[in-house]
Amino acid sequence: MSDFRMFDTLGSALAAQTVRLNTVASNLANADQAAGSAEAAYRARVPVFAAVLEQVRGDGAAVGVQVQEVAVSQAPARAEYQPGHPLADAQGYVYYSNVRPVEQMADMISASRSYESAAQALGTVQELIQRTQIGRAHV
């Protein structure tokens, strides 16, 4: 793998984890949003990743990742009986997002660790390239 492909691969990992972290932040920000109907309630977003395959050599080796889409969760909204609430429907229910904050926090920790690992790998690659070039200069 050439130096530039390593940068591309690690860069794609950093970009994907950034989208993942932003999605988690959006979900957490909307976790307690109330709505007057199940359809209007905020639905959790989930990034869908796909491997980027090598096209030049034709061997199909994975060389990165990309965000294919940010899907909307199909889990039902949480309904709470609150007849006095201004957003309550005719039956007295208020609908809240289907975001589960504990799951989102776990996903955030996982994404931040993945981001950190890719950033450390990027630093290691840069350091190895510098050492290699310094060694060549003295030969």
Side-chain angles (χ1 to χ4, degrees):
M1 179 181 282
S2 74
D3 298 340
F4 296 114
R5 282 188 27 203
M6 282 189 263
F7 286 124
D8 290 343
T9 301
L10 292 168
S12 73
L14 291 169
Q17 294 308 322
T18 298
V19 169
R20 189 173 165 202
L21 286 165
N22 287 335
T23 304
V24 167
S26 177
N27 288 340
L28 288 172
N30 290 289
D32 292 328
Q33 294 296 319
S37 68
E39 296 79 26
Y42 179 84
R43 306 279 181 172
R45 276 39 174 188
V46 180
V48 177
F49 300 120
V52 176
L53 304 178
E54 175 64 61
Q55 299 297 321
V56 177
R57 292 186 311 197
D59 62 4
V63 294
V65 65
Q66 69 182 12
V67 179
Q68 210 168 29
E69 69 174 308
V70 178
V72 178
S73 170
Q74 296 304 310
R78 181 175 43 107
E80 289 188 14
Y81 184 68
Q82 297 176 336
H85 194 284
L87 292 175
D89 64 7
Q91 290 79 31
Y93 285 95
V94 177
Y95 299 88
Y96 292 92
S97 72
N98 62 357
V99 174
R100 294 181 174 170
V102 173
E103 288 179 11
Q104 294 298 311
M105 293 299 291
D107 198 31
M108 181 179 66
I109 291 167
S110 173
S112 66
R113 287 185 178 162
S114 295
Y115 186 95
E116 184 179 339
S117 294
Q120 286 176 347
L122 187 59
T124 300
V125 169
Q126 289 174 328
E127 183 180 333
L128 291 173
I129 289 170
Q130 288 174 349
R131 286 184 184 180
T132 302
Q133 289 174 352
I134 290 171
R136 287 183 187 167
H138 294 293
V139 175

